[in-house]
Amino acid sequence: RLLAAIDSLGVSLAERMRRRGFRRAADFRPDRWRRQFGEVVEAVLDLPPRPLRRQVEVRARNDRLEASAAVGEVLVAVQVCNLGTHVAVPAGPARLVLRSVVRDWSGRGPGSRGRAVPLPGLISPGGTLAAAVPVPVPSVPGDYEVVFRAETANGRAVADGPAAAPLRLRVTTAEPATAAVLTPLSAPVQAALAEAARCQHLPDDYVDVTTGWFAGLKRWVKRKVLNNFRRAYVDVLSRQQSTFNRQLLIVLSEVLAQQAVWEHARAVDRQRIQELEANLLELRQQLAALQGKESQPCAAS
């Protein structure tokens, strides 16, 4: 190598780079490329099958929820965590949907199933996304548990691991007086959010109901003339608007959940302030009593 370097001192830099380029290009000749590609294919074929674990965990932001029986349905902010080995998709044959199941607190009975909502987006393995899931509120007051889960298009639950802790739902006959999760003014808002969640999905397809004379010909003409416009513009706008509506509902649910947390923190602070004021009043009374005892001997003397 030293002799080759000494011999190449008389060669210009451009000539040396040109020769090195030829040597580099020789590594990508068709025969060498085929051999290297065949080695890669053989290595892939000899590998054991990749393990498939589909585990999507849906966790509520809070552990308690209080709602009025008159509401009918509420939206709950949740976190969707993909703990499996494959990507969770919101559309297509392998799509996943989110659903809530409300059961008696004792866990007996099949429970009532909520409406299915699609995933907010693609969730890679180890990723997390925020979502809003509708929860049906029973008409009978009492304590219930709400279980959130991800399901396939045919209704099969996706969970290869332990399920998340259930959410405790307390149903009352009137507006909740404390801000556990819902504030006193949030029941109408939750009802409006539930109605918006039912209407947020826009249709991205239609059924041609052309009738009358030459109905088949008219359907064929519309399919030829308007099909590209529908697929490239109308359907795209419909899907984009549905996605926007879904994300807006998620943001509103997050804001409502954060407001409930702030209200709860304010309630805790007010309770703490009342306790401190009571302690201060007691100390003042004890101080006044001590001062009265000290003034009595002075008056006697």
Side-chain angles (χ1 to χ4, degrees):
R1 293 179 62 180
L2 290 175
L3 292 176
I6 294 173
D7 292 338
S8 63
L9 291 177
V11 182
S12 64
L13 179 61
E15 180 63 22
R16 280 186 286 173
M17 295 299 292
R18 188 179 68 85
R19 295 177 182 177
R20 183 171 296 179
F22 282 136
R23 289 196 298 269
R24 174 68 174 170
D27 295 335
F28 297 93
R29 291 201 308 267
D31 54 344
R32 290 192 178 184
W33 183 87
R34 292 192 186 95
R35 185 173 65 253
Q36 295 174 359
F37 183 74
E39 293 175 356
V40 173
V41 173
E42 291 294 334
V44 172
L45 293 177
D46 293 338
L47 288 176
R50 294 181 58 189
L52 173 60
R53 189 180 77 256
R54 303 189 67 179
Q55 182 180 356
V56 179
E57 186 179 74
V58 185
R59 298 193 297 260
R61 292 298 185 90
N62 301 279
D63 57 350
R64 292 177 181 272
L65 175 66
E66 185 175 347
S68 174
V71 175
E73 187 179 72
V74 295
L75 283 179
V76 177
V78 298
Q79 281 186 334
V80 186
C81 306
N82 186 3
L83 306 179
T85 57
H86 290 64
V87 178
V89 295
R95 65 184 182 276
L96 298 181
V97 297
L98 304 178
R99 191 187 299 274
S100 63
V101 179
V102 181
R103 296 193 295 256
D104 185 69
W105 182 249
S106 60
R108 296 188 299 269
S112 58
R113 292 158 54 90
R115 292 185 296 106
V117 294
L119 288 178
L122 290 173
I123 308 178
S124 59
T128 302
L129 282 182
V133 180
V135 176
V137 179
S139 58
V140 180
D143 290 336
Y144 300 86
E145 69 172 12
V146 183
V147 179
F148 300 96
R149 65 186 186 187
E151 297 180 353
T152 59
N154 55 7
R156 187 173 60 87
V158 179
D160 290 343
L167 170 70
R168 183 160 190 168
L169 172 62
R170 172 164 294 179
V171 180
T172 60
T173 56
E175 294 289 335
T178 59
V181 171
L182 294 175
T183 59
L185 299 178
S186 64
V189 178
Q190 281 285 4
L193 284 177
E195 181 63 25
R198 283 190 287 268
C199 303
Q200 58 92 18
H201 181 71
L202 299 180
D204 52 8
D205 200 356
Y206 70 93
V207 178
D208 197 337
V209 291
T210 303
T211 58
W213 288 1
F214 307 106
L217 178 61
K218 288 186 284 187
R219 282 195 294 268
W220 180 83
V221 171
K222 287 194 293 184
R223 185 170 64 251
K224 289 298 183 181
V225 175
L226 301 177
N227 186 57
N228 291 338
F229 175 75
R230 178 180 66 87
R231 290 181 179 272
Y233 186 75
V234 178
D235 292 353
V236 174
L237 285 182
S238 178
R239 294 189 186 96
Q240 290 179 352
Q241 186 64 40
S242 299
T243 303
F244 173 79
N245 296 341
R246 190 182 309 118
Q247 297 297 332
L248 184 61
L249 287 174
I250 292 172
V251 171
L252 290 177
S253 301
E254 291 286 339
V255 170
L256 188 62
Q258 292 298 327
Q259 180 188 2
V261 173
W262 295 335
E263 291 291 337
H264 181 68
R266 288 176 56 187
V268 172
D269 292 340
R270 286 195 297 268
Q271 183 180 2
R272 180 60 178 168
I273 291 173
Q274 292 176 358
E275 293 177 357
L276 292 177
E277 289 178 349
N279 294 336
L280 181 59
L281 180 60
E282 184 179 359
L283 289 176
R284 287 178 178 176
Q285 293 176 355
Q286 293 178 0
L287 180 59
L290 290 176
Q291 290 178 351
K293 291 181 180 179
E294 290 178 356
S295 61
Q296 288 178 359
C298 294
S301 60

